[in-house]
Amino acid sequence: LRLPTPGIIVTAPGFTGLALAPSGTRIALLALGRLYIVDVSAARAAAPRVAAAVPLTASGVAWAPDERAVVWS
């Protein structure tokens, strides 16, 4: 296993954004032109599900405070 040197930015092809939900139970991520939602709570941990297709130029993702919406830019 080889990890990058601390402080060096390494890009992941196709991956453009990640955000933890305010409750800490879900993750939203942008990758390969899709918005994925991953439930990471111990009681409901599951495989990622595709929530929407997004432009390949989408580069940031954020949750609404009430977790009822996810936005990207």
Side-chain angles (χ1 to χ4, degrees), residues 38-66:
V38 184
D39 193 331
V40 293
S41 65
R44 297 183 314 212
R49 69 177 175 83
V50 176
V54 299
L56 290 174
T57 56
S59 63
V61 63
W63 287 88
D66 64 3

Side-chain angles (χ1 to χ4, degrees), residues 4-66:
T5 304
I8 302 297
I9 295 174
V10 178
T11 60
F15 174 77
T16 59
L18 175 76
L20 181 63
S23 66
T25 61
R26 294 183 290 173
I27 296 171
L29 60 99
L30 296 172
L32 304 171
R34 292 182 176 87
L35 169 66
Y36 293 89
I37 304 295
V38 184
D39 193 331
V40 293
S41 65
R44 297 183 314 212
R49 69 177 175 83
V50 176
V54 299
L56 290 174
T57 56
S59 63
V61 63
W63 287 88
D66 64 3

